[in-house]
Amino acid sequence: MLLALCFDVAAGDLYAVTNQRILDLVNQARATPRACGKVRLDAAQPVRWNSALADASRQHSQDMARYNYFSHHGRDGSEPAGRIERAGYRYSSMGENIAAGQRSPEEVVAGWIKSPGHCANLMNPVFTEMGAAVAVNAGSKLGTFWTQDFARPR
């Protein structure tokens, strides 16, 4: 559980532990054929962690947490593709998953797998890289805000 980890892991290491866990869970999910809603998808190759995608994810999660909103659209009018480009990543294909309220990497990845559109992003064989981030605002309605960006470089 993410909130329990806060007591066991130094703050700087919390995100590294969380990020590695999300990457591991995503790659475990990609290793198995599955149904995303009514669509059957084959297993996909693992994705690699990308720090620029993680930066784009972190900035969006932090903004949602700070200003207590939940949307793929940023308060500055940005869209996922623009945020990824602003982080310095040049892509040929990209996708974004967001979530809020989940308290652990296990909960958030399980939620993305249960959602047909999010699951399709997670299983998309075109994507070769991923970044993700969580931001916490205990004073907000949802508490935790997650962003996951997938892409394939140009």
Side-chain angles (χ1 to χ4, degrees):
M1 176 179 283
L2 176 68
L3 299 179
L5 275 175
C6 292
F7 297 105
D8 297 330
V9 179
D13 295 333
L14 174 62
Y15 294 105
V17 169
T18 301
N19 294 344
Q20 185 61 53
R21 185 66 180 142
I22 291 171
L23 180 64
D24 291 345
L25 291 166
V26 165
N27 283 330
Q28 287 172 18
R30 287 172 66 92
T32 304
R34 71 183 60 252
C36 293
K38 295 181 180 182
V39 178
R40 294 283 312 159
L41 296 172
D42 292 332
Q45 292 295 312
V47 290
R48 297 179 302 275
W49 189 260
N50 180 278
S51 59
L53 293 173
D55 187 47
S57 295
R58 180 185 50 77
Q59 289 178 19
H60 191 55
S61 288
Q62 287 177 343
D63 195 60
M64 288 190 295
R66 184 176 297 120
Y67 296 101
N68 196 25
Y69 73 96
F70 181 69
S71 177
H72 287 285
H73 306 284
R75 288 179 325 102
D76 61 358
S78 64
E79 300 289 331
R83 289 190 296 271
I84 288 170
E85 289 176 346
R86 190 168 50 205
Y89 191 95
R90 302 295 171 243
Y91 65 88
S92 60
S93 184
M94 59 75 53
E96 181 178 82
N97 289 342
I98 60 173
Q102 295 81 2
R103 295 171 51 111
S104 70
E106 290 78 10
E107 281 184 48
V108 76
V109 173
W112 283 329
I113 290 170
K114 288 179 186 172
S115 165
H118 293 105
C119 179
N121 271 344
L122 191 143
M123 294 298 293
N124 190 331
V126 171
F127 299 144
T128 59
E129 297 182 322
M130 183 197 96
V134 61
V136 178
N137 177 354
S140 68
K141 291 178 188 175
L142 298 169
T144 56
F145 297 81
W146 305 80
T147 305
Q148 178 181 49
D149 287 315
F150 289 101
R152 178 183 202 95
R154 282 188 199 159

